[in-house]
Amino acid sequence: MKLNKSLLVAAALLSGMLTSCSDSGYWDQASSAELGNGQTYSFSNKTISYTFEGTDQLKGTDVNVTITRGTKSGKVTIPVKVAMTDPSVISTPDEVTFEDGSNTALFPIHFKEELVPGVNQAVRLTLDSKAFGFEVVEEPEPLTPQSTHEDSVAYEIQSVAYETYQKKLENYKLQTTITFKKNLTWVQCGSCMFVDYTVFADPAMAENVPILNGLGTNKYRIVTPWSYLYGSDCSGATDIEFTLDENYDMTLVTDGSANGIVSQFTHASEGSFVFCWPEKYASRFTIVRQENIYQASMFGIWNGDGYYQGFTFAFQWTDGWPGAK
């Protein structure tokens, strides 16, 4: 018997394969939008999120979003505007149909490809505001150093109009954002000899520092290497996370802040060290690879006092290197 994958996902939602959360209370007092014929339409929640386990298989399945209306009479189709993180992973229709006798309709979100663990996907759905009596307002383009005074005035006017438009979408329950997350499963895939050139005049070295892989991804972590280097003199040590491309070259993963923090720790006698890769200075940093040996040089913050150049570490991937023949 051929199984209906949409039904399988629906069953999985009920059985706890994934967990979801929403903010249904946020809209309890909001009013629904009315179409010209007096019918009301709305989403149930402003946001909703789904979290899947790393082993869950989603490709070819659907997750349905419920849209409601204020009547059960008549069959009607209304447009839905869709924006999403990556259209190569997810697809949707651009309208939804209410059947005669029902005040709800299901809008399917289809997974064309498997979710990559650790890479969130978001889908924003908006019921066509023109059909409900007010015009769409586009988000203003950011100002640039070349922007004139007139550009700034126009930007402020457009910003106010756009904010008002967004509030209308919220108050009329015409917009919802659904976020899909897949947990990373980290497994040990090897080890390295790690060397720090930053703290002391002579480099510190530690062997057999574990390296983890995010299962099914090109993401890797060196596990708290500073703890292996400095033992009980080290506190607050974090992992170093990076990705490898098809040539086994490394890109460091930062925390997304303006400082671009890569890793950090505190040494009992030498103070706090924060290894940084801020995007605005990225051209001044280097990552050099020779076979399975990697060296990264970047900025750092020492004892919270500005940027210092020359924060450098290196490691030799002694066991489990993906590029080994």
Side-chain angles (χ1 to χ4, degrees):
M1 179 179 69
K2 186 175 181 180
L3 296 178
N4 186 315
K5 290 188 175 181
S6 297
L7 294 178
L8 288 176
V9 168
L13 291 172
L14 294 175
S15 65
M17 166 181 158
L18 53 86
T19 58
S20 67
C21 57
S22 65
D23 57 355
S24 56
Y26 178 88
W27 282 357
D28 286 348
Q29 304 302 318
S31 59
S32 300
E34 291 189 1
L35 202 57
N37 57 10
Q39 294 185 19
T40 59
Y41 297 84
S42 65
F43 294 105
S44 299
N45 308 107
K46 180 185 177 184
T47 62
I48 187 168
S49 62
Y50 293 101
T51 301
F52 301 85
E53 293 306 314
T55 55
D56 293 339
Q57 300 299 304
L58 302 173
K59 183 178 180 179
T61 64
D62 295 345
V63 170
N64 292 315
V65 176
T66 300
I67 304 174
T68 62
R69 63 173 176 168
T71 180
K72 293 185 178 181
S73 300
K75 180 177 181 178
V76 64
T77 297
I78 63 171
V80 180
K81 182 179 178 181
V82 182
M84 64 183 70
T85 303
D86 188 351
S88 70
V89 176
I90 289 173
S91 65
T92 69
D94 55 9
E95 61 186 20
V96 67
T97 297
F98 291 84
E99 299 295 337
D100 185 30
S102 176
N103 67 340
T104 63
L106 297 180
F107 185 87
I109 297 175
H110 180 72
F111 293 98
K112 296 192 293 184
E113 299 294 338
E114 195 60 54
L115 278 183
V116 176
V119 180
N120 295 348
Q121 297 287 338
V123 179
R124 186 176 69 241
L125 306 179
T126 306
L127 300 183
D128 186 4
S129 57
K130 289 183 180 179
F132 298 101
F134 55 93
E135 293 295 318
V136 174
V137 178
E138 298 295 338
E139 186 173 6
E141 292 290 332
L143 294 173
T144 69
Q146 290 74 40
S147 297
T148 64
H149 173 70
E150 289 76 13
D151 293 333
S152 299
V153 172
Y155 176 84
E156 292 300 326
I157 294 172
Q158 184 74 358
S159 295
V160 171
Y162 180 73
E163 183 178 354
T164 302
Y165 171 66
Q166 290 297 310
K167 290 294 183 185
K168 282 186 177 181
L169 293 180
E170 290 184 7
N171 292 336
Y172 284 98
K173 304 194 228 179
L174 288 177
Q175 186 167 273
T176 188
T177 300
I178 307 95
T179 303
F180 301 98
K181 308 174 183 179
K182 199 170 190 181
N183 291 329
L184 270 173
T185 301
W186 292 98
V187 296
Q188 185 165 348
C189 66
S191 59
C192 69
M193 180 176 67
F194 191 88
V195 183
D196 173 38
Y197 294 94
T198 300
V199 178
F200 299 111
D202 295 323
M205 183 180 70
E207 296 183 349
N208 300 318
V209 179
I211 298 180
L212 308 181
N213 171 241
L215 200 60
T217 73
N218 66 338
K219 291 186 175 182
Y220 296 86
R221 281 180 176 172
I222 304 174
V223 180
T224 59
W226 322 109
S227 297
Y228 285 83
L229 290 172
Y230 303 117
S232 59
D233 287 337
C234 179
S235 62
T238 60
D239 296 345
I240 295 175
E241 188 168 318
F242 61 93
T243 61
L244 293 183
D245 65 16
E246 64 275 9
N247 297 317
Y248 311 111
D249 291 326
M250 178 179 74
T251 299
L252 291 168
V253 175
T254 72
D255 66 349
S257 69
N259 283 332
I261 295 175
V262 172
S263 185
Q264 55 191 327
F265 68 97
T266 299
H267 190 279
S269 61
E270 302 300 320
S272 64
F273 294 83
V274 180
F275 286 72
C276 299
W277 194 284
E279 283 299 319
K280 61 181 178 180
Y281 300 125
S283 62
R284 300 173 65 176
F285 311 140
T286 60
I287 297 178
V288 178
R289 179 178 75 85
Q290 184 176 359
E291 291 297 315
N292 62 333
I293 300 174
Y294 297 79
Q295 178 172 300
S297 299
M298 65 202 77
F299 282 168
I301 301 173
W302 180 48
N303 290 330
D305 183 25
Y307 287 133
Y308 290 84
Q309 196 148 14
F311 275 47
T312 304
F313 64 81
F315 65 96
Q316 182 177 12
W317 201 323
T318 53
D319 179 46
W321 182 52
K325 303 300 183 183

